Amino acid sequence: MSNLKNDCFIKALLREPTNRTPIWIMRQAGRYLPEYREIRKSAGDFLSLCKNTELATEVTLQPIRRFPLDAAILFSDILTIPDAMGLGLYFNEGEGPKFESPITNSSQIDKLPTNIIDDLSYVTDAVSSIRKALDNSIPLIGFSGSPWTLSTYMVEGQSSKEFKKIKSLLYKDPIALHNLLDKLTITVIDYLNAQVESGAQVLQIFDTWGGILSDDAYLNFSLRYIKKVIDGLIKEYDNQKVPVIVFTKGGYPWLKKISECGCDAIGLDWSSNIRDAREQVGSKVALQGNMDPSILRSSISTIESEVQRILNSFGQHDANSGHVFNLGHGITPDVDPKHVSALVEAVKKFSTDFHS
Ligand code: CP3
């Protein structure tokens, strides 16, 4: 079908038979790699690194050179969209992301531009450059935040623990929040389609903060907009299907509903039981996940037994099943790269037993 040398990841997402379980790692390019820290220092700050095509390409490839991973992921950030909408994203050393002009009232929402794709050409340039550098070895994942997750940062102005501001907006002025989510939906669709046209072969929607919502609010303010995004995406490019993965952290209560939103795969966080998840979604979608990132801080033997436990919990593959091994959330900066090697090797070695 494709001219990819390794299409194991795409096949698993489309629930086609493979001879083993593919693996990539959320946040696989990052501070746990000394070579990343080196380049990051030379770039100055994180955003300059994202905006420099050559350096963004280089850091995307760093984990691929070290580990035999089955996919690369664009090096960028989900907060490029609010930045392009004029909120002024910045990172102070050692702190999370912050906005100079967070959303504080509904008239600000009314004024937000949605035609911002030209301001994000540094992202599509990076996609083209990475795709070229990969030379059809493994597929490239493009990504975006979900409208809901982007709105949490835009209203809180930074990372949050209690989400007081966004939840106040949700319950005090839901119309204004829907207006914001509608605008973000338009920008996310344009952004993801532009990534596909530049060479992204798989898309992941990060709904990092969907799990903080009540049942009703999740369906109305998060999943509803994820579905609208997926409805607007290019389904096939260059005669290839473009699979979409939805990762809602804390999304376990809504697995069945997420499986009906038009996605090809669901990313599971580590709190999920992957066997139970498979039973709930059947062969409708593939599953991605879900090792606790903290396990990478333990020992190689613990990592190996955890890999076996997860593979075993997913169980034997059949003609319509798909599992992509991953962590349940991003890898942390304190992980020893040797442990990542052990993880990737263990998945490759042990998973063949589950594919006939
Ligand atoms: O997975 C990859 O390797 C691709 C790169 C990637 C980054 N951010 C690079 C990054 C991806 C896919 C993201 C997504 C992202 N960004 C999410 C969703 C995924 C998730 O983790 O839930 C969120 C919520 C953000 C927003 C964001 N960007 C935060 C909260 C932070 C601070 C995190 C921290 O650990 O300090 C960032 C900065 C960021 N994005 C870094 C990297 C490598 C660290 C920057 C640095 O100091 O070098």
Side-chain angles (χ1 to χ4, degrees):
M1 57 175 250
S2 71
N3 47 10
L4 272 167
K5 289 172 199 114
N6 171 356
D7 61 0
C8 187
F9 172 54
I10 297 207
K11 282 196 163 140
L13 292 174
L14 297 175
R15 297 166 313 286
E16 290 170 16
T18 57
N19 54 16
R20 60 172 178 84
T21 304
I23 173 169
W24 70 282
I25 294 166
M26 286 198 274
R27 293 273 183 104
Q28 61 193 27
R31 285 166 297 179
Y32 73 104
L33 292 175
E35 60 270 34
Y36 171 85
R37 296 196 297 268
E38 188 81 4
I39 299 261
R40 166 83 158 64
K41 213 159 62 189
S42 74
D45 61 275
F46 170 68
L47 266 183
S48 309
L49 178 50
C50 295
K51 290 183 179 177
N52 181 316
T53 310
E54 210 178 303
L55 297 184
T57 304
E58 171 57 24
V59 292
T60 302
L61 299 178
Q62 286 175 341
I64 307 305
R65 290 196 195 108
R66 261 191 196 252
F67 319 112
L69 295 158
D70 295 300
I73 178 161
L74 159 70
F75 188 82
S76 191
D77 201 80
I78 63 165
L79 300 177
T80 51
I81 285 184
D83 187 48
M85 288 173 117
L87 270 66
L89 174 64
Y90 66 99
F91 288 83
N92 285 336
E93 205 50 55
E95 290 173 29
K98 289 211 167 109
F99 288 113
E100 280 158 22
S101 330
I103 306 274
T104 54
N105 58 64
S106 62
S107 67
Q108 235 176 318
I109 297 174
D110 292 334
K111 290 189 205 118
L112 283 174
T114 51
N115 190 5
I116 54 162
I117 202 70
D118 290 348
D119 296 304
L120 292 165
S121 57
Y122 66 93
V123 178
T124 44
D125 287 348
V127 172
S128 313
S129 160
I130 297 161
R131 177 69 194 273
K132 201 164 155 231
L134 285 170
D135 194 25
N136 286 328
S137 52
I138 47 173
L140 174 60
I141 306 168
F143 69 89
S144 168
S146 69
W148 161 255
T149 289
L150 293 176
S151 80
T152 65
Y153 284 98
M154 292 168 82
V155 172
E156 296 291 335
Q158 58 186 63
S159 302
S160 174
K161 287 207 165 73
E162 294 182 89
F163 300 94
K164 284 185 185 161
K165 292 177 184 159
I166 186 75
K167 286 206 174 184
S168 298
L169 181 66
L170 192 159
Y171 291 112
K172 283 187 185 158
D173 194 352
I175 292 169
L177 180 54
H178 281 304
N179 187 14
L180 175 57
L181 294 167
D182 272 325
K183 288 193 160 193
L184 285 167
T185 300
I186 296 169
T187 62
V188 169
I189 291 171
D190 285 351
Y191 187 53
L192 289 175
N193 282 339
Q195 291 181 39
V196 170
E197 284 164 343
S198 306
Q201 291 145 297
V202 172
L203 297 172
Q204 176 151 322
I205 299 172
F206 285 94
D207 186 30
T208 308
W209 302 121
I212 66 159
L213 290 168
S214 70
D215 178 55
D216 187 63
Y218 176 73
L219 300 177
N220 280 311
F221 292 88
S222 179
L223 189 58
R224 176 174 171 187
Y225 292 94
I226 292 175
K227 186 174 184 321
K228 284 192 192 188
V229 167
I230 295 175
D231 286 346
L233 294 179
I234 298 170
K235 302 284 175 292
E236 240 181 75
Y237 194 77
D238 250 357
N239 293 320
Q240 289 292 308
K241 270 196 163 173
V242 184
V244 180
I245 308 161
V246 171
F247 172 73
T248 290
K249 186 159 157 266
Y252 200 54
W254 305 290
L255 283 184
K256 187 126 180 56
K257 286 186 170 129
I258 299 171
S259 76
E260 289 156 1
C261 77
C263 66
D264 298 279
I266 299 181
L268 299 174
D269 69 30
W270 66 87
S271 68
S272 313
N273 175 312
I274 199 165
R275 169 163 298 183
D276 179 67
R278 184 176 175 185
E279 270 163 26
Q280 284 193 55
V281 302
S283 55
K284 191 146 177 64
V285 293
L287 295 173
Q288 177 176 279
N290 69 337
M291 194 176 98
D292 187 338
S294 304
I295 289 166
L296 288 175
R297 276 188 229 118
S298 66
S299 65
I300 289 181
S301 66
T302 306
I303 293 166
E304 287 175 344
S305 48
E306 187 64 12
V307 166
Q308 278 180 308
R309 193 193 62 75
I310 290 169
L311 292 170
N312 197 46
S313 173
F314 185 92
Q316 279 297 326
H317 280 263
D318 58 38
N320 305 303
S321 59
H323 177 209
V324 173
F325 208 98
N326 205 319
L327 302 179
H329 200 201
I331 187 168
T332 51
D334 52 4
V335 167
D336 180 347
K338 282 199 209 83
H339 288 187
V340 177
S341 276
L343 165 67
V344 177
E345 273 169 39
V347 172
K348 297 212 158 175
K349 188 165 129 207
F350 301 137
S351 67
T352 52
D353 286 351
F354 297 90
H355 297 257
S356 45

